[in-house]
Every structure is written in structure tokens, then in C-alpha cells.
Amino acid sequence: MAVFPNPGEAEKPEEETVYEDWDCPQVQCIEQYVAQQADELSLEPTDIVNILRKTNEGWYEGSTLSDGRKGWFPGKVVLEITNEHVRRRNLRERFRVMQAATQITTTLKSKTGP
């Protein structure tokens, strides 16, 4: 194990940053983006997205808070939400929406039968 780095090896820049679900940045869309590929995510202004990965080319992979859609989009169409209180509020709101959707689904299944 070498104590000093090998001068022959240039440091490689990280190609992408991967975030944990519980500690990922949030962004808000500021400009509409229409997906060009199947793995891309179309965004509307005001969409809130949890960032899962960032590449050096300026592309982000994320999941929308409103409906969980997932895909890639350019970082130039979003602004990062840096205020912790706003991030927490967004996550609480998503949790409430998910709970309501689960209750509605459960109610509809019980009314329609198996």
C-alpha cells in the first residue's frame, strides 16, 4: 500500500454522483422540458424532483415528487432547492399524497370486490 499517490496516474474526475434516497437534493423545474428519449423525464415548470444521480455532462436522473415518474433531464431547466425547511415540507406533502392515494385505492378495491 503506497503512502504517496503514484505521479504516473492522473486523477480521474468522477463521471457521476449517486445520491441515497434519504439524502438526495431536490430541484424545481423552471423551464418546460419535453423528453426526447424513452429514458428521459418530461418536466413542467413547478415540478419538484428528487435527484438520484448527476453526470459531468450536466444531466440529472430524478424522480418527481408528485407522481414518482423517473428519468433523465438536463440540469439547465431546474434550480436546486437549498432550504432544508422547504425540502422537508415537499417530502411531507409527497407522503400525504401517497397516503391519500393508498386510501382511495383501498376504498375502491373494497367497493368493487376481489
Side-chain angles (χ1 to χ4, degrees):
M1 186 160 103
V3 176
F4 299 102
N6 184 349
E9 291 181 19
E11 282 192 36
K12 296 179 184 175
E14 261 186 60
E15 291 186 19
E16 67 179 33
T17 304
V18 179
Y19 297 96
E20 297 292 333
D21 286 340
W22 54 270
D23 191 32
C24 57
Q26 283 182 358
V27 294
Q28 181 171 352
C29 179
I30 56 170
E31 179 182 326
Q32 182 184 33
Y33 178 72
V34 178
Q36 305 294 312
Q37 303 290 326
D39 63 345
E40 292 181 6
L41 179 62
S42 291
L43 295 173
E44 294 293 327
T46 72
D47 278 346
I48 306 293
V49 183
N50 277 341
I51 301 300
L52 307 172
R53 289 195 279 180
K54 291 181 182 179
T55 68
N56 282 347
E57 292 84 31
W59 283 82
Y60 297 175
E61 181 183 27
S63 173
T64 57
L65 286 183
S66 61
D67 56 11
R69 292 176 296 124
K70 193 174 180 182
W72 291 91
F73 56 92
K76 67 181 181 182
V77 300
V78 296
L79 286 177
E80 188 164 350
I81 299 171
T82 56
N83 186 306
E84 280 298 317
H85 297 291
V86 173
R87 290 179 65 205
R88 287 186 193 126
R89 184 189 68 211
N90 291 340
L91 290 173
R92 279 193 306 269
E93 185 62 27
R94 178 173 190 242
F95 180 72
R96 286 186 198 118
V97 168
M98 290 173 61
Q99 278 187 315
T102 300
Q103 288 176 345
I104 290 170
T105 303
T106 304
T107 302
L108 289 176
K109 283 183 181 179
S110 67
K111 287 183 179 181
T112 59

